[in-house]
Amino acid sequence: MRIVSGIQPTGNLHLGNYLGAIRNWVRMQDEWTAQGHDCLYFLADLHAISMPHDPAGLRAGTREMVAALVACGIDPERSILFNQTQVPAHAELQWLLTGTARMGWLNRMTQWKDKAGKNREGASVALFTYPVLQAADVLLYQATHVPVGEDQKQHLELARDIAQKFNNDFATEDAPVFTLPEPIIPPEAARIMSLRDGSAKMSKSDPSDMSRINLTDDADAIMQKVRKAKTDPEPLPSDAEALKERPEAANLVGIYAAMAGCSVADVLARYEGQGFGAFKPALGELLVESLAPITARYRELRTDTDALDAILAAGAVKARALAAPTLTRAYEALGLLRG
Ligand code: TYM
């Protein structure tokens, strides 16, 4: 068993990243490394150049994301924490897989459609081939499990399709080149929505900072964002079914449940009949209390550039060693002579 997952080092880590993915990374690290399995977590800096970006911001953001992940509980002694750029095998395998991935498959990706919008002709080639690099990220390590939020499910399915076609075309059934990875999606926080719009996911790219809780926000900012979160005038219902038509209310209750480690039914049992005037301060306080240790640790770590660079360098050494055998097999399977 091997766990692999990544995050783009653009912007702050937000509550959606944390509840949808990073908390699971930490749980899996704690459980699985104790049993001798590898957990690889990386910063998808190569993915970040698929959209217009500022080089200095990417450099700083990469280091900040290392600090944020360590603050959340990723332990570089137990997990392999690195950035894609320092493991060139990611970019190499991506090219090898572009021979297997089909234009039609990539054309169906919802992220491509959303991010390119109406301006497909003006979008970068990297934005279109983005999911092939993502497939390389996991196939390179023979990942068995990939902890992600719901929005990455389609990319993971594509990685499986690429692996399957490559194995069919270039390997035998008893000696496949790639393992088919399973996505691990937390049922209770698969899709955290924007605080301003219950139909849009919480995202780093939302221009309004009020739409998300950043893990770097202080207590005042968190309380204010929750207080101003969009809701409806109805009190909280007694059962979850009744939240179906109330996306903003469902989102806040879901965040509470995920953060408190209980079910939506438990939250409703406690707050049934109460309005948001009572529920919002309770949610704000829960968030402040839960995030305070992470924020404090992040502030300590983020300024020590040498220590952060050393974490990435050490992680890359380990990742390069794990990547090498699969990359070699992929070259060989395709008939490419490396000398
Ligand atoms: P990224 O950087 O957008 O997000 C990192 C992780 O956070 C999850 N996530 C969410 N979960 C729940 N609710 C939300 N509102 C929310 N927003 C983000 C994402 O699902 C993800 O798990 N393409 C990826 C990075 C990547 C990757 C990979 C992931 C590159 N290669 C290989 C897994 C395996 C991305 O941009 O995630």
Side-chain angles (χ1 to χ4, degrees):
M1 295 209 271
R2 186 170 283 164
I3 295 109
V4 177
S5 198
I7 182 164
Q8 290 197 62
T10 40
N12 287 317
L13 199 60
H14 58 70
L15 197 62
N17 299 133
Y18 180 66
L19 294 176
I22 312 304
R23 211 166 53 150
N24 249 354
W25 293 15
V26 176
R27 284 186 187 150
M28 294 177 95
Q29 159 193 276
D30 293 348
E31 234 173 85
W32 293 33
T33 57
Q35 296 171 38
H37 302 296
D38 298 312
C39 289
L40 293 96
Y41 299 126
F42 64 90
L43 312 183
D45 52 357
L46 293 176
H47 279 108
I49 65 166
S50 61
M51 292 293 276
H53 80 287
D54 158 42
L58 180 56
R59 206 174 294 123
T62 301
R63 291 187 176 118
E64 280 170 9
M65 192 57 85
V66 179
L69 294 177
V70 174
C72 287
I74 300 297
D75 172 3
E77 298 292 320
R78 287 183 289 155
S79 293
I80 302 176
L81 182 56
F82 64 101
N83 63 325
Q84 279 169 323
T85 295
Q86 293 189 47
V87 185
H90 288 246
E92 285 182 72
L93 183 61
Q94 189 233 352
W95 180 254
L96 302 188
L97 297 179
T98 51
T100 295
R102 307 285 95 183
M103 295 287 284
W105 299 354
L106 296 180
N107 254 325
R108 283 196 285 277
M109 294 293 112
T110 53
Q111 181 181 291
W112 156 248
K113 291 190 225 169
D114 290 350
K115 288 203 172 166
K118 291 201 174 71
N119 184 23
R120 286 200 182 186
E121 295 293 308
S124 72
V125 173
L127 189 64
F128 187 66
T129 57
Y130 180 115
V132 187
L133 177 59
Q134 184 156 344
D137 294 337
V138 294
L139 301 182
L140 190 55
Y141 300 102
Q142 309 287 344
T144 54
H145 297 83
V146 184
V148 284
E150 173 78 29
D151 61 341
Q152 296 303 317
K153 194 169 166 215
Q154 195 186 33
H155 286 161
L156 261 289
E157 279 159 7
L158 182 91
R160 292 172 63 92
D161 289 344
I162 293 176
Q164 189 127 45
K165 179 164 167 56
F166 189 104
N167 286 342
N168 284 344
D169 293 354
F170 303 111
T172 55
E173 222 169 274
D174 46 336
V177 175
F178 297 120
T179 304
L180 269 49
E182 287 289 337
I184 304 285
I185 299 173
E188 76 284 11
R191 203 171 163 80
I192 302 291
M193 310 309 278
S194 157
L195 299 180
R196 310 299 285 171
D197 175 359
S199 66
K201 71 171 182 182
M202 187 177 285
S203 153
K204 297 169 210 186
S205 51
D206 192 316
S208 167
D209 195 54
M210 293 301 282
S211 70
R212 62 185 160 262
I213 306 276
N214 301 305
L215 266 68
T216 48
D217 286 342
D218 61 23
D220 288 347
I222 294 175
M223 292 304 286
Q224 195 200 20
K225 286 177 179 181
V226 174
R227 205 176 329 112
K228 296 217 163 152
K230 190 174 165 202
T231 39
D232 55 44
E234 302 298 319
L236 285 171
S238 57
D239 82 302
E241 270 302 298
L243 286 174
K244 278 228 164 101
E245 304 300 314
R246 299 172 62 188
E248 283 86 12
N251 190 38
L252 294 188
V253 172
I255 291 175
Y256 191 107
M259 208 74 224
C262 63
S263 68
V264 165
D266 293 335
V267 181
L268 293 179
R270 186 155 167 207
Y271 290 99
E272 171 194 355
Q274 299 197 39
F276 286 97
F279 182 69
K280 280 179 167 180
L283 174 60
E285 275 160 31
L286 173 67
L287 288 170
V288 168
E289 199 180 298
S290 315
L291 299 179
I294 296 178
T295 311
R297 184 100 180 89
Y298 170 73
R299 295 224 166 90
E300 272 167 36
L301 293 167
R302 68 179 289 242
T303 48
D304 194 345
T305 307
D306 290 347
L308 299 172
D309 287 351
I311 290 173
L312 289 180
V317 169
K318 295 181 204 159
R320 284 197 290 265
L322 290 180
T326 301
L327 185 66
T328 298
R329 288 195 59 211
Y331 272 111
E332 280 170 1
L334 292 168
L336 296 160
L337 287 176
R338 280 170 111 193

